[in-house]
Amino acid sequence: MKNAAFIGTPKINEVYPAELAAKMQSEMNFPIPEILTAQNLPQYEAQTQSIEYLFSTWGMLKLTSEEIDRYFPNLRAVFYAAGTVQAFARPFIEKGIAVFSAWAANAVPVAEYTFAQIILANKGFFHLTYKQGSGPWKRSHGEGHYNGNYETKVGIIGAGMIGKLVIQKLKTLDKIDVLVFDPFLPDEKAAELGVTKVDLHTIFSECQIISNHLANNEQTKGMLDAECFNRMGKDATFINTGRGAQVVEDAMIAAMKAEPGRLALLDVTFPEPPLPESELYTVPNIILTPHIAGSLHNEIHRMAEFMYEEYSAFDKGEPTRYSVSLKMLETMA
């Protein structure tokens, strides 16, 4: 039996359900009786020498190349039951150790959440929902113009795993014109998805709904700036389930204040949560949610299942689906 270990934080016990953990322990030998952490790793140095597979999730240790050599000289693969691996993956990959991420599993609830917000925003739901204490309720479509989910334009910024899933869901609707900004999306793939590639400013100028799914890296920080937000239509909606650092928040706030019919639905901010004095809390046409688009509660078990399936395939020498390469780290979230 192969030797394996769980590494990270007690969050592992939430992500890997008891039934799956028991199944893994019946197929692999777990010589370390607890989760490896930064505190107990030196204590188990003798046992870590034989570990071939590491299983983790949010809270994965950031090990240096020297630490990997010291503790895990026989390591073959890391299976990360969560999304982005940017914080820890590079030293492993550079040593030829396979890294697998459940980004595809985490993409599913984000895409579902985003799709739901698009459907509701196109109906004017967020603008027209009755607020208790705001006076008599009126049976009115409001003053804004909301296209509904027919013959309208939706802009997708970033066509990675999540962006593609959102596009596929949008294509289940009738006469939705999807515009995409993604310099890395090949023309043939855009044609396959049935979308139109445009520049970033066209997205903000022409689309009723704009949804951000950019990869989170140095190149995308502050990419969504005043020139973008000032182009939004008077009843347009900006949705961010990606990362907050890509948004110049002061510029977005100013654009929302300048046109009250605009709307920003923010599941992420930078910093997160916003500072106590941030205007994000007070501008009425900015709605905040506490980073709930990704996997929550039972949904996180899907990520562990994905990583177990990757382990099974990798151990048998069969094709895998979710390995991460150094090249992928340049563009992925």
Side-chain angles (χ1 to χ4, degrees), residues 112-134:
E112 292 170 344
Y113 183 88
T114 302
F115 181 61
Q117 287 196 318
I118 291 171
I119 292 289
L120 293 174
N122 267 331
K123 298 288 286 186
F125 172 86
F126 300 98
H127 289 88
L128 304 178
T129 298
Y130 175 76
K131 307 292 192 305
Q132 278 71 19
S134 61

Side-chain angles (χ1 to χ4, degrees), residues 198-217:
V198 297
D199 62 71
L200 191 56
H201 291 159
T202 299
I203 293 275
F204 279 87
S205 298
E206 296 188 8
C207 293
Q208 183 77 10
I209 310 292
I210 301 139
S211 186
N212 174 45
H213 305 284
L214 284 171
N216 190 39
N217 53 45

Side-chain angles (χ1 to χ4, degrees), residues 145-176:
H145 177 74
Y146 312 106
N147 293 337
N149 293 288
Y150 187 80
E151 294 180 346
T152 192
K153 289 183 179 179
V154 175
I156 301 296
I157 305 173
M161 177 69 72
I162 296 172
K164 287 186 177 71
L165 285 177
V166 174
I167 290 167
Q168 290 168 5
K169 292 180 181 300
L170 288 169
K171 287 300 177 177
T172 65
L173 306 174
D174 291 331
K175 291 193 176 182
I176 295 289

Side-chain angles (χ1 to χ4, degrees), residues 74-87:
N74 290 295
L75 189 64
R76 296 179 59 200
V78 178
F79 300 92
Y80 183 67
T84 180
V85 298
Q86 290 284 5

Side-chain angles (χ1 to χ4, degrees), residues 178-244:
V178 181
L179 307 187
V180 172
F181 169 76
D182 189 329
F184 299 100
L185 181 67
D187 291 343
E188 57 271 21
K189 185 61 178 179
E192 179 184 325
L193 290 169
V195 302
T196 302
K197 290 176 62 178
V198 297
D199 62 71
L200 191 56
H201 291 159
T202 299
I203 293 275
F204 279 87
S205 298
E206 296 188 8
C207 293
Q208 183 77 10
I209 310 292
I210 301 139
S211 186
N212 174 45
H213 305 284
L214 284 171
N216 190 39
N217 53 45
E218 288 298 320
Q219 291 71 35
T220 62
K221 284 184 178 179
M223 181 177 284
L224 308 181
D225 57 14
E227 194 167 357
C228 293
F229 290 108
N230 290 339
R231 293 171 180 266
M232 286 179 65
K234 66 183 297 290
D235 299 307
T237 297
F238 171 69
I239 299 171
N240 194 5
T241 55
R243 286 292 186 269

Side-chain angles (χ1 to χ4, degrees), residues 317-328:
E318 297 173 353
T320 57
R321 296 183 293 171
Y322 305 120
S323 63
V324 178
S325 66
L326 290 176
K327 183 67 176 176
M328 291 169 65

Side-chain angles (χ1 to χ4, degrees), residues 264-315:
L265 303 175
L266 308 180
D267 192 53
V268 290
T269 60
F270 186 80
E272 192 174 298
L275 298 175
E277 65 272 19
S278 174
E279 287 191 279
L280 293 176
Y281 294 118
T282 58
V283 178
N285 51 334
I286 295 176
I287 297 177
L288 302 176
T289 48
H291 205 144
I292 59 174
S295 297
L296 292 177
H297 305 300
N298 291 353
E299 293 172 330
I300 65 179
H301 297 163
R302 181 193 285 124
M303 299 190 296
E305 292 285 355
F306 270 45
M307 289 301 92
Y308 169 74
E309 292 171 4
E310 287 295 271
Y311 146 73
S312 296
F314 182 80
D315 191 55

